Amino acid sequence: MGVIERGQADGKHKYGYIINQEKYHQPDPEYFEIWKEAFRRKVYENQTDETIGKFIISS
């Protein structure tokens, strides 16, 4: 059974997450809430990438 079937990280970086010692993604305590808010702004408020980028930089 491969890493994907086990639900483990496949080595690709996911914004707002870190890969723990067991090779699973877990929320990054420093950046998870920022990326979660950026995603919310894109999906629900249709903000531009530029506006969201400024939010991320200022956070």
Side-chain angles (χ1 to χ4, degrees):
M1 181 183 300
V3 294
I4 294 174
E5 289 83 6
R6 290 191 305 266
Q8 292 177 307
D10 60 1
K12 296 179 183 174
H13 177 73
K14 311 288 189 262
Y15 292 109
Y17 290 87
I18 58 174
I19 298 174
N20 65 21
Q21 292 179 338
E22 291 81 30
K23 305 291 186 208
Y24 290 97
H25 284 102
Q26 70 180 46
D28 183 322
E30 187 174 356
Y31 297 109
F32 179 76
E33 291 300 324
I34 295 169
W35 284 104
K36 182 176 152 182
E37 176 62 17
F39 184 79
R40 188 196 66 74
R41 289 174 183 223
K42 184 67 172 181
V43 172
Y44 296 108
E45 297 179 14
N46 199 30
Q47 290 188 7
T48 65
D49 292 345
E50 181 180 356
T51 301
I52 293 169
K54 288 178 182 178
F55 161 73
I56 292 169
I57 290 169
S58 70
S59 296

